[in-house]
Amino acid sequence: MLYGILKLIATASVRTFFRRISPQNVDRIPVKGPVVFVCNHPNTMIDPLLVGISCKRKLFFFAKSTLFKGRIASWLLPKLQLIPVYRKQDDPSQTGKNTDTFSMGYKILEQNRAFLIFPEGISDGARRLNKIKTGAARIGFGAMVNNNWDLDVTIVPVGLSYSNVIKFKSNVIVRYGNPIHLNDYKEKYQSDEIETVREITGLIETALSKLTTYINVLESEEIINALELIYKKELMHDLGLDTKNKSDEFSATKGLVRGVEWYFKNKPAKVEEFKRMLQSYQEKLDLLKLKDEFLNPTTKSITLIDRFIMLLYIILGFPIFIYGLINNFAPYKVPRWLTHKLKRAKSEIASTKLLAGIVMFLVYYGIEIFLFYYLVDNNIYTILYALSLVPSGNFALSYLFYVRRYRQHLRFFTIFYKKRDIMYQIIEERRALIEYINQARDEYLKIEKLD
């Protein structure tokens, strides 16, 4: 009962927090039988929620033991199907308790149920995959040995790729990989347990690398982020990919990562030249407070009719915006303020925002609904008011997006007409930048074909 209620709240909160959640390859998940989900871990509390709401299986969750400190946590978390993992970095003297953790894992699999484990053993907001631990493979094989290999334990890799790991209303792709059937490794395991566990762990690491847009050369992150912003749509357009298709977008990002990392390793001088060009271009955009999208030729041009519709939307939507703002301002603002005050690690920022947001919305909406009912003393009106709170908040966010976009549009044309020489200079710099990227891409593709 408690699990179901909290899952409903968590699902609504996560779907509100993200602009778009895109599950992919869900058909690869066994609909029944024992399953171990293994996932990368960039975003502490949000990662398990995303897998939980997209995999269509009721999950148990392996979580670090430090979360279970205190009476409330030690009572509540097990009821939410969380199982403590005692990590060496937390307290080396407690690792012996992992015997009970493994036993719980065996029991779950014996009951043909599923659990989620994060094999990195740490949540890291950086765009990299940490060393994979052997726990998932050991639990899977242990359960099969305990049951004379009558279980068909499957390991399913899951890759989470965030468009922005800390930003509210960002996008996330949840990609499920090909299942790893441990029965296929029975003879190998019986011959050499340690080596087979290492092999499966290696397969998990390879799968997670393919399922995410992580990078191997950390110094390349700045350039990759910039290319995703200014070049990815053009690249997808040139390759005939659908810019609205998340699978195509993922493939384009993976291609960018491979190409940039190749240049970092093989032609660092070209990388430095590109950095110089990119910095000059970005500095000019920042100086004029412009966004690259207005200079991107793949961006749909805004016609006179489009401008009229946007202006009409801004005028007619203003009263609804004010209504949504009044009813949702505090719940939206407080989590951001709190996160800034607490100075959380990058991997904890979005989770802190989400958790604080859940508490704030429940409390704030509760107070608002109570006050409204107290003032109007009418059940029907109160129900209608309560139902309007979330949609009005979403409209307020959408309205702000349109206003900012319209303001940027006006700013672009104002600068274009008043400071045409500067605008032409920026456009020329962008053209040179894209030409440089295209030449580098063509060079890389030729070398890749030869390899």
Side-chain angles (χ1 to χ4, degrees):
M1 179 68 176
L2 180 61
Y3 177 89
I5 293 171
L6 290 180
K7 183 178 180 180
L8 187 65
I9 294 172
T11 300
S13 302
V14 168
R15 294 196 181 281
T16 300
F17 189 89
F18 291 99
R19 186 178 303 279
R20 181 182 298 174
I21 301 171
S22 304
Q24 296 183 357
N25 308 322
V26 180
D27 57 310
R28 293 175 177 174
I29 302 169
V31 294
K32 58 183 179 179
V35 177
V36 180
F37 290 93
V38 289
C39 185
N40 61 311
H41 202 17
N43 224 331
T44 51
M45 190 182 75
I46 291 179
D47 297 337
L49 296 178
L50 287 169
V51 178
I53 67 176
S54 63
C55 75
K56 310 303 182 185
R57 293 285 302 258
K58 188 175 182 180
L59 295 181
F60 289 82
F61 305 91
F62 280 57
K64 59 184 180 181
S65 60
T66 52
L67 295 175
F68 292 76
K69 289 182 178 179
R71 284 185 180 180
I72 296 177
S74 62
W75 170 82
L76 178 63
L77 296 185
K79 293 185 183 300
L80 300 179
Q81 301 186 176
L82 270 70
I83 300 165
V85 176
Y86 299 88
R87 304 183 305 174
K88 191 175 181 179
Q89 64 261 41
D90 296 327
D91 186 351
S93 67
Q94 298 289 308
T95 55
K97 293 183 179 180
N98 281 326
T99 302
D100 294 333
T101 301
F102 272 57
S103 295
M104 283 293 296
Y106 300 153
K107 185 177 179 181
I108 292 166
L109 297 177
E110 287 165 4
Q111 295 172 345
N112 287 318
R113 303 175 85 175
F115 67 79
L116 170 65
I117 191 169
F118 298 102
E120 293 173 276
I122 187 173
S123 181
D124 189 349
R127 197 167 174 173
R128 63 167 178 250
L129 188 66
N130 292 287
K131 183 176 175 59
I132 300 299
K133 307 295 192 297
T134 59
R138 287 161 58 202
I139 295 174
F141 278 123
M144 296 184 76
V145 170
N146 288 349
N147 290 270
N148 298 315
W149 296 89
D150 286 337
L151 287 178
D152 184 18
V153 176
T154 304
I155 295 178
V156 176
V158 191
L160 299 175
S161 298
Y162 294 87
S163 62
N164 190 311
V165 79
I166 65 175
K167 191 177 179 182
F168 177 62
K169 286 301 179 185
S170 57
N171 300 319
V172 59
I173 299 175
V174 188
R175 287 176 65 88
Y176 290 91
N178 291 316
I180 303 169
H181 298 280
L182 296 190
N183 260 325
D184 295 342
Y185 298 84
K186 178 180 177 179
E187 291 183 8
K188 282 188 177 182
Y189 184 82
Q190 290 175 331
S191 173
D192 189 336
E193 295 180 12
I194 295 175
E195 185 55 37
T196 308
V197 165
R198 285 178 181 166
E199 181 180 349
I200 296 300
T201 303
L203 291 176
I204 292 171
E205 184 168 354
T206 300
L208 292 181
S209 296
K210 291 179 178 178
L211 292 167
T212 60
T213 55
Y214 280 162
I215 60 178
N216 298 307
V217 182
L218 293 181
E219 295 81 7
S220 67
E221 183 172 3
E222 181 183 354
I223 289 181
I224 291 170
N225 289 341
L227 288 176
E228 286 182 305
L229 185 66
I230 69 174
Y231 183 66
K232 186 162 68 173
K233 281 188 177 181
E234 291 189 35
L235 174 64
M236 293 178 71
H237 180 76
D238 290 346
L239 296 176
L241 301 175
D242 183 357
T243 56
K244 293 182 180 179
N245 185 295
K246 288 299 174 183
S247 182
D248 284 355
E249 186 180 344
F250 179 86
S251 300
T253 300
K254 292 291 283 186
L256 286 175
V257 171
R258 286 195 300 269
V260 171
E261 290 188 341
W262 184 89
Y263 271 97
F264 263 85
K265 291 177 182 176
N266 297 282
K267 298 200 173 184
K270 293 203 76 168
V271 172
E272 291 304 315
E273 173 65 13
F274 178 74
K275 280 184 179 179
R276 184 195 63 77
M277 296 171 67
L278 179 63
Q279 183 179 4
S280 174
Y281 174 66
Q282 288 181 326
E283 283 176 353
K284 288 181 175 63
L285 286 181
D286 292 341
L287 185 65
L288 296 175
K289 297 180 181 178
L290 286 177
K291 291 185 178 181
D292 172 80
E293 64 179 285
F294 288 93
L295 302 173
N296 193 327
T298 63
T299 302
K300 180 180 177 293
S301 59
I302 299 176
T303 65
L304 188 62
I305 294 175
D306 291 331
R307 275 182 275 174
F308 174 76
I309 292 172
M310 289 175 73
L311 184 59
L312 191 65
Y313 175 84
I314 290 170
I315 294 170
L316 296 179
F318 185 71
I320 306 174
F321 165 72
I322 294 298
Y323 176 80
L325 184 67
I326 292 170
N327 285 293
N328 293 272
F329 181 78
Y332 278 117
K333 281 294 183 180
V334 170
R336 183 180 297 180
W337 171 84
L338 184 64
T339 305
H340 178 73
K341 273 288 184 183
L342 293 176
K343 296 181 179 178
R344 293 292 193 185
K346 190 175 182 180
S347 63
E348 298 174 335
I349 291 175
S351 297
T352 304
K353 285 180 181 177
L354 179 66
L355 186 59
I358 291 173
V359 174
M360 276 299 302
F361 274 105
L362 289 175
V363 173
Y364 196 77
Y365 279 180
I367 293 172
E368 286 184 314
I369 293 168
F370 172 78
L371 290 175
F372 186 88
Y373 178 76
Y374 179 79
L375 292 172
V376 302
D377 193 21
N378 185 290
N379 290 333
I380 300 298
Y381 287 161
T382 302
I383 291 172
L384 292 174
Y385 172 72
L387 292 174
S388 75
L389 294 176
V390 173
S392 66
N394 289 335
F395 179 85
L397 287 173
S398 175
Y399 184 88
L400 277 176
F401 170 80
Y402 271 94
V403 168
R404 287 168 182 166
R405 181 171 174 79
Y406 188 72
R407 188 185 300 161
Q408 273 279 318
H409 171 75
L410 292 178
R411 183 173 183 78
F412 173 81
F413 278 99
T414 300
I415 294 172
F416 186 83
Y417 287 113
K418 289 187 176 180
K419 301 178 181 179
R420 191 164 297 188
D421 291 343
I422 297 176
M423 187 60 72
Y424 279 136
Q425 185 181 347
I426 295 176
I427 292 172
E428 178 57 30
E429 281 199 29
R430 190 185 196 284
R431 187 201 61 77
L433 198 62
I434 298 301
E435 187 176 325
Y436 192 90
I437 296 170
N438 284 332
Q439 288 175 355
R441 183 192 72 183
D442 293 341
E443 180 183 17
Y444 168 71
L445 290 176
K446 285 179 183 178
I447 294 168
E448 194 179 51
K449 284 181 181 179
L450 292 175
D451 292 342

